[in-house]
Amino acid sequence: MNGKMKAIVKHHRGYGAELQMVDIPQIKEDEVLIKVKATSICGTDVHIYTWDEWSESRVNPPYVFGHEFAGEIVEVGSKVSNVAMGDQVSAETHIVCYECPQCLTGDYHICKNTKIIGVDTHGCFAEYVALPAVNVWKNPKDMPYDVASVQEPMGNAVHTVLAGDVAGKTVAVIGCGPIGIMAVGVAKAAGASQVIAVDLNEYRLDLATKMGATTVINAKENNPVDLVMELTDGNGVDVICEMSGHPIAMNQGFKMVTNGGRVSILSLPVRPVELDITNDIVFKGVTVQGITGRKMYTTWQQVSRLLKSGQVDVKPMITHHFPLEDFEKGFDLMISGQCGKVVLQP
Ligand SMILES: [Zn+2]
Ligand SMILES: [Zn+2]
């Protein structure tokens, strides 16, 4: 397709971004062109927008950023057979090599040569996005576009929570950004007996309650370790989903996990974190897991089914919608923390 489109361009190596008219991307024979109907702002996008240390080291402006979306296929490459014109789709955002030792054994989510859409390639904060057809995930026709656009981050929540047993167990989610809040809903749906949400932000703790948290703890007002011990008869929780990346909160997580428990870490602390490995991991026999991306495509199947069955309802967590042009309002809200998921509509 030829012509111009509106896009949010990370235009320079500094704060902010710009709405620009750019060329509609041309597809290759194994790609599809998607008309973007809804695209949600991720924490990663906020890092790129505010231009922190990580973006400085990873991102190369000028380019179109954004990676979470839902839309409709409007053009199909000659070699594409898995999807067709008019399909409603979202996409797995890891573009993997299919050749490294991890890919060859089916562990695509930890591919050594992963490229991330909207970080290493042009993204979806635009009217159109071109993507490899193999990355595209077909959505049910009746799934609202805003709901479909959050499947990718919901996949992070699902991958973290379901990385071990949950049914009948006690779970604490530390850090209640959008993925943490969704993790609460997933843990509840998976049959956790208690889901305890910990954060410093009242707005987000309210959202955690709406998503099914049995107890919320504001760590500014209470010692979360003491409270969790009270709630679990002094045993601690079976599962920690670490979504905060904050060194103090992380250490609290390791104190509140029970002997033989699991700590699944999705967060990305900006600096190395000091932990009491002897007392909090080794003597307690704790399993620590790093969680990255979504299993391709087990996690997508789980997300799809949890949404379709209504076991997880993400609507309370999608708090704001703006036209693409008003992206600055969306980013300001994300930076303030007074929101759940913010969705932009091109
Ligand atoms: Zn994301
Ligand atoms: Zn690979």
Side-chain angles (χ1 to χ4, degrees), residues 1 16 28 68 98 147 189 197 214 220 258 263 288 304:
M1 194 184 285
K28 300 189 190 113
E68 302 173 359
Y98 298 100
V147 169
T214 50
K220 233 189 291 184
T258 194
V263 178
V288 183
S304 227

mmCIF file of all heavy atoms in Angstrom, residues 1 16 28 68 98 147 189 197 214 220 258 263 288 304:
data_model
loop_
_atom_site.group_PDB
_atom_site.id
_atom_site.type_symbol
_atom_site.label_atom_id
_atom_site.label_comp_id
_atom_site.label_asym_id
_atom_site.label_seq_id
_atom_site.Cartn_x
_atom_site.Cartn_y
_atom_site.Cartn_z
ATOM 1 N N MET A 1 0.858 -1.199 0.000
ATOM 2 C CA MET A 1 0.000 0.000 0.000
ATOM 3 C C MET A 1 0.890 1.242 0.000
ATOM 4 O O MET A 1 1.856 1.310 0.756
ATOM 5 C CB MET A 1 -0.889 -0.008 1.264
ATOM 6 C CG MET A 1 -2.030 0.975 1.199
ATOM 7 S SD MET A 1 -2.977 1.040 2.735
ATOM 8 C CE MET A 1 -3.920 -0.465 2.674
ATOM 9 N N GLY A 16 10.587 12.601 25.150
ATOM 10 C CA GLY A 16 9.412 12.862 24.330
ATOM 11 C C GLY A 16 9.385 12.126 23.009
ATOM 12 O O GLY A 16 10.219 11.255 22.733
ATOM 13 N N LYS A 28 7.104 -7.326 2.981
ATOM 14 C CA LYS A 28 7.865 -8.347 2.256
ATOM 15 C C LYS A 28 6.938 -9.539 2.012
ATOM 16 O O LYS A 28 5.830 -9.582 2.538
ATOM 17 C CB LYS A 28 9.073 -8.790 3.079
ATOM 18 C CG LYS A 28 10.020 -7.649 3.393
ATOM 19 C CD LYS A 28 11.311 -8.175 4.018
ATOM 20 C CE LYS A 28 12.162 -7.038 4.560
ATOM 21 N NZ LYS A 28 12.276 -7.050 6.021
ATOM 22 N N GLU A 68 2.275 -3.050 21.567
ATOM 23 C CA GLU A 68 1.055 -3.772 21.976
ATOM 24 C C GLU A 68 -0.108 -3.230 21.146
ATOM 25 O O GLU A 68 -0.373 -2.032 21.186
ATOM 26 C CB GLU A 68 0.775 -3.515 23.456
ATOM 27 C CG GLU A 68 1.921 -3.936 24.358
ATOM 28 C CD GLU A 68 1.706 -3.509 25.817
ATOM 29 O OE1 GLU A 68 0.688 -2.876 26.134
ATOM 30 O OE2 GLU A 68 2.586 -3.807 26.633
ATOM 31 N N TYR A 98 14.800 -18.686 14.942
ATOM 32 C CA TYR A 98 14.477 -20.077 14.559
ATOM 33 C C TYR A 98 15.727 -20.922 14.284
ATOM 34 O O TYR A 98 15.644 -21.996 13.720
ATOM 35 C CB TYR A 98 13.521 -20.114 13.355
ATOM 36 C CG TYR A 98 12.193 -19.452 13.653
ATOM 37 C CD1 TYR A 98 11.940 -18.152 13.219
ATOM 38 C CD2 TYR A 98 11.220 -20.105 14.399
ATOM 39 C CE1 TYR A 98 10.737 -17.523 13.529
ATOM 40 C CE2 TYR A 98 10.016 -19.491 14.706
ATOM 41 C CZ TYR A 98 9.781 -18.199 14.263
ATOM 42 O OH TYR A 98 8.595 -17.574 14.578
ATOM 43 N N VAL A 147 -9.358 -4.633 24.380
ATOM 44 C CA VAL A 147 -9.046 -5.857 25.144
ATOM 45 C C VAL A 147 -7.973 -6.660 24.402
ATOM 46 O O VAL A 147 -6.981 -7.107 24.995
ATOM 47 C CB VAL A 147 -10.320 -6.708 25.360
ATOM 48 C CG1 VAL A 147 -9.970 -8.088 25.898
ATOM 49 C CG2 VAL A 147 -11.280 -5.990 26.311
ATOM 50 N N ALA A 189 -8.045 -16.569 38.844
ATOM 51 C CA ALA A 189 -8.687 -17.491 37.897
ATOM 52 C C ALA A 189 -8.081 -18.888 37.996
ATOM 53 O O ALA A 189 -8.760 -19.897 37.787
ATOM 54 C CB ALA A 189 -8.545 -16.957 36.476
ATOM 55 N N ALA A 197 -1.971 -8.366 47.021
ATOM 56 C CA ALA A 197 -1.333 -7.394 46.121
ATOM 57 C C ALA A 197 -0.617 -6.337 46.944
ATOM 58 O O ALA A 197 -1.170 -5.815 47.912
ATOM 59 C CB ALA A 197 -2.388 -6.747 45.234
ATOM 60 N N THR A 214 -7.473 -10.662 47.199
ATOM 61 C CA THR A 214 -8.193 -10.920 48.455
ATOM 62 C C THR A 214 -7.746 -9.933 49.531
ATOM 63 O O THR A 214 -8.506 -9.618 50.433
ATOM 64 C CB THR A 214 -7.967 -12.368 48.933
ATOM 65 O OG1 THR A 214 -6.563 -12.646 48.919
ATOM 66 C CG2 THR A 214 -8.659 -13.363 48.009
ATOM 67 N N LYS A 220 3.582 1.620 51.895
ATOM 68 C CA LYS A 220 3.963 2.902 52.509
ATOM 69 C C LYS A 220 3.435 2.965 53.938
ATOM 70 O O LYS A 220 4.019 3.586 54.808
ATOM 71 C CB LYS A 220 3.346 4.048 51.695
ATOM 72 C CG LYS A 220 4.377 5.088 51.250
ATOM 73 C CD LYS A 220 3.720 6.334 50.635
ATOM 74 C CE LYS A 220 3.064 6.049 49.307
ATOM 75 N NZ LYS A 220 2.491 7.223 48.623
ATOM 76 N N THR A 258 7.412 -18.705 51.589
ATOM 77 C CA THR A 258 7.539 -19.806 52.542
ATOM 78 C C THR A 258 8.675 -20.756 52.114
ATOM 79 O O THR A 258 9.134 -20.707 50.963
ATOM 80 C CB THR A 258 6.209 -20.582 52.632
ATOM 81 O OG1 THR A 258 6.241 -21.432 53.779
ATOM 82 C CG2 THR A 258 5.948 -21.425 51.393
ATOM 83 N N VAL A 263 9.694 -17.999 43.681
ATOM 84 C CA VAL A 263 9.736 -16.561 43.387
ATOM 85 C C VAL A 263 9.951 -16.410 41.888
ATOM 86 O O VAL A 263 10.994 -16.806 41.357
ATOM 87 C CB VAL A 263 10.877 -15.857 44.165
ATOM 88 C CG1 VAL A 263 10.927 -14.374 43.810
ATOM 89 C CG2 VAL A 263 10.708 -16.038 45.669
ATOM 90 N N VAL A 288 13.862 -19.888 42.349
ATOM 91 C CA VAL A 288 13.815 -18.542 41.764
ATOM 92 C C VAL A 288 13.808 -18.679 40.243
ATOM 93 O O VAL A 288 14.637 -19.401 39.683
ATOM 94 C CB VAL A 288 15.049 -17.702 42.193
ATOM 95 C CG1 VAL A 288 14.944 -16.281 41.642
ATOM 96 C CG2 VAL A 288 15.181 -17.685 43.703
ATOM 97 N N SER A 304 -5.746 -16.278 25.413
ATOM 98 C CA SER A 304 -6.939 -16.297 24.585
ATOM 99 C C SER A 304 -8.100 -16.998 25.291
ATOM 100 O O SER A 304 -9.229 -16.502 25.322
ATOM 101 C CB SER A 304 -6.590 -17.096 23.332
ATOM 102 O OG SER A 304 -7.012 -16.442 22.199
#
